[in-house]
Amino acid sequence: MKIPFNKPFLTGNETKYIEDAVKSMKISGDGVYTKKCHDFFEQKYNFKKCLLTTSCTDALEMAAILIDTKEGDEIIMPSYTFVSTSNAFVLRGAKIVFADSKPNHPNIDVSKIEALITPKTKAIVPVHYGGVACDMDEIMALAKKYNLYVIEDAAQAIDSYYKGKPLGSFGHLAAFSFHETKNIISGEGGMLVINDDQFIDRAEIIREKGTNRSKFYRGEVDKYGWIDIGSSFLPSDIIAAFLFAQLENLDEIQKKRVGNWNLFHEKLIHLQENGCFQFLDLDENQTNNGHLFALIMNNLEERSALIDFMRKEEVMPVFHYLSLHKSPYYQDKHDGRELDNCDRFADTLLRLPFYHDLSKEDIEKITSLVIRFFDGK
Ligand SMILES: *Cc1c(COP(=O)(O)O)cnc(C)c1O
């Protein structure tokens, strides 16, 4: 039986809640289920204000608007990330200043950030790769020193912590994804978290096409109109109904995924000790939310060979990001600095199939293929 890279997990209540949302006849945005999701996140993680969006990409675009990103502003972020992290700011005319990754993890190397700050710098956008926390104390301290905004790209970071505090609660703003490939899903979907009060009112307006319709529905104003720029960033309540079925099972989902992760780790640790590859190790400040299981291979050739070897047995590992500073779209706009760690992860990082429903036998099959590959060398 083929083992795909990803398989979405359904809790069983998704269609029931969707039917319920449909029957309520209030199926546009900000209905009953959207409110339930907002309350869930605000209570569980103590986020100040949560707003569901149609994607994490949208949440990042809202963040770029909220901090008034303008032509010429500079935004510091890692190059080893998804295009949306950058695109959101490029759409508003910003210049992206890419920072290198840490030597042993794709997360942004904080020791490289300060030298990149100029009077034009407006924000730092840390990406918690694989749901593993960036060095948030250092990043927040730099932001304070230079009066910058911090926007966490927490797309992969649901239910993960830094020094005991949930990711998404550090930056002025944070963006989560509920795309089918993430831990908690709604097909497409996302959320903007607002931790800084000054952004709350305007975030509601931007999300509602630049109108104060949210205030109107709450009875806080007697008519609504066009008062700012904005777009349609809010999802239908049908999407929120799907998401809520997932949220009710969040602890169970996380427990299973982290259990799967530990099993992979246990079965492959001897190969890491033999230097066949490295894991993305955690320090005592970070937690593992079971988002992905990655191997850092020793070189590109070995990665390609392992992918081919496993695919022949119908097991589907994949690599991950390509360096954004070398992308066809951005290479001419990049300032030319070499980002060696980022390039190395682009060449050597491999993700094994990883999802909720992997059985012990599946994990045995996947890991024994990895072991066989190295035995045959
Ligand atoms: C998945 C992902 C996104 C985009 O999320 P969407 O919900 O698909 O828009 C952005 N950044 C990172 C780091 C991601 O992993």
Side-chain angles (χ1 to χ4, degrees):
M1 265 259 291
K2 183 165 167 163
I3 303 184
F5 171 67
N6 178 58
K7 205 189 244 180
F9 169 67
L10 300 179
T11 68
N13 277 336
E14 285 83 356
T15 42
K16 179 162 156 253
Y17 291 170
I18 287 174
E19 193 177 346
D20 189 38
V22 170
K23 282 188 178 147
S24 80
M25 298 300 276
K26 281 210 164 58
I27 53 180
S28 57
D30 282 334
V32 173
Y33 281 100
T34 304
K35 174 110 187 24
K36 279 178 189 270
C37 292
H38 290 169
D39 290 348
F40 177 93
F41 285 113
E42 287 166 16
Q43 278 162 23
K44 183 166 175 80
Y45 298 115
N46 220 1
F47 296 146
K48 195 163 277 170
K49 174 83 181 171
C50 294
L51 292 172
L52 292 191
T53 56
T54 48
S55 64
C56 177
T57 302
D58 270 359
L60 289 163
E61 284 179 31
M62 284 182 68
I65 297 173
L66 279 167
I67 64 163
D68 273 326
T69 309
K70 291 186 298 289
E71 190 87 35
D73 286 348
E74 296 177 1
I75 312 288
I76 297 173
M77 65 178 66
S79 177
Y80 193 82
T81 184
F82 190 59
V83 286
S84 295
T85 321
S86 305
N87 241 334
F89 298 91
V90 169
L91 277 168
R92 313 233 55 87
K95 176 176 172 221
I96 307 301
V97 177
F98 289 113
D100 206 359
S101 298
K102 300 205 244 189
N104 61 347
H105 196 285
N107 280 351
I108 193 165
D109 182 345
V110 284
S111 71
K112 302 280 170 60
I113 294 177
E114 193 159 17
L116 301 175
I117 295 173
T118 75
K120 291 180 176 170
T121 307
K122 184 155 238 174
I124 305 171
V125 186
V127 180
H128 305 298
Y129 183 79
V132 173
C134 296
D135 301 309
M136 293 314 294
D137 279 352
E138 290 84 350
I139 291 171
M140 297 313 294
L142 280 172
K144 195 156 178 220
K145 181 169 170 193
Y146 292 98
N147 203 15
L148 308 175
Y149 294 115
V150 174
I151 297 158
E152 296 175 72
D153 182 338
Q156 307 172 9
I158 192 77
D159 204 48
S160 198
Y161 298 79
Y162 173 77
K163 297 189 176 177
K165 203 172 164 241
L167 299 185
S169 64
F170 291 89
H172 301 83
L173 299 160
F176 284 91
S177 174
F178 308 118
H179 183 265
E180 176 183 321
T181 51
K182 307 301 202 271
N183 292 25
I184 300 295
I185 62 174
S186 61
E188 302 280 353
M191 176 169 73
L192 180 71
V193 172
I194 302 140
N195 296 311
D196 183 339
D197 289 325
Q198 65 164 315
F199 294 122
I200 293 178
D201 283 352
R202 192 164 177 235
E204 287 186 337
I205 290 162
I206 288 166
R207 180 166 165 270
E208 273 280 21
K209 301 95 182 162
T211 74
N212 55 350
R213 186 149 74 179
S214 301
K215 275 202 152 93
F216 174 73
Y217 280 134
R218 287 199 298 266
E220 293 167 25
V221 290
D222 56 14
K223 54 182 185 295
Y224 80 85
W226 185 17
I227 54 175
D228 201 338
I229 61 166
S231 190
S232 189
F233 289 120
L234 73 173
S236 147
D237 215 46
I238 297 171
I239 300 283
F242 188 115
L243 182 63
F244 190 67
Q246 297 261 314
L247 294 182
E248 282 186 330
N249 291 276
L250 187 143
D251 290 338
E252 184 277 322
I253 291 171
Q254 287 302 98
K255 198 163 159 238
K256 178 68 165 61
R257 290 187 74 110
V258 172
N260 288 352
W261 195 98
N262 289 335
L263 210 50
F264 272 99
H265 191 264
E266 195 180 294
K267 293 200 180 282
L268 295 176
I269 182 104
H270 65 287
L271 293 180
Q272 137 140 326
E273 283 159 0
N274 291 341
C276 296
F277 47 68
Q278 293 301 308
F279 296 137
L280 297 176
D281 283 324
L282 302 172
D283 68 33
E284 68 282 359
N285 297 327
Q286 301 165 320
T287 60
N288 168 30
N289 74 342
H291 176 59
L292 52 74
F293 197 91
L295 306 178
I296 311 303
M297 304 290 289
N298 289 328
N299 54 58
L300 175 61
E301 294 68 37
E302 260 184 26
R303 183 180 74 177
S304 306
L306 179 55
I307 290 177
D308 289 347
F309 179 78
M310 295 182 80
R311 289 191 167 213
K312 282 204 187 83
E313 305 289 329
E314 306 228 286
V315 175
M316 310 308 258
V318 294
F319 53 90
H320 211 176
Y321 302 126
L322 300 173
S323 304
L324 289 181
H325 69 288
K326 291 192 168 165
S327 61
Y329 180 68
Y330 217 81
Q331 59 184 351
D332 296 340
K333 302 171 187 71
H334 177 62
D335 54 30
R337 276 172 304 113
E338 295 290 337
L339 304 173
D340 293 336
N341 293 329
C342 171
D343 290 343
R344 189 163 44 79
F345 290 121
D347 282 348
T348 59
L349 191 147
L350 175 140
R351 293 176 294 162
L352 295 176
F354 195 86
Y355 47 89
H356 179 286
D357 282 340
L358 280 176
S359 65
K360 280 202 168 70
E361 293 71 36
D362 293 333
I363 295 174
E364 179 63 36
K365 178 170 176 184
I366 297 164
T367 53
S368 61
L369 274 175
V370 177
I371 294 166
R372 240 170 62 206
F373 174 80
F374 284 103
D375 278 352
K377 287 186 79 73

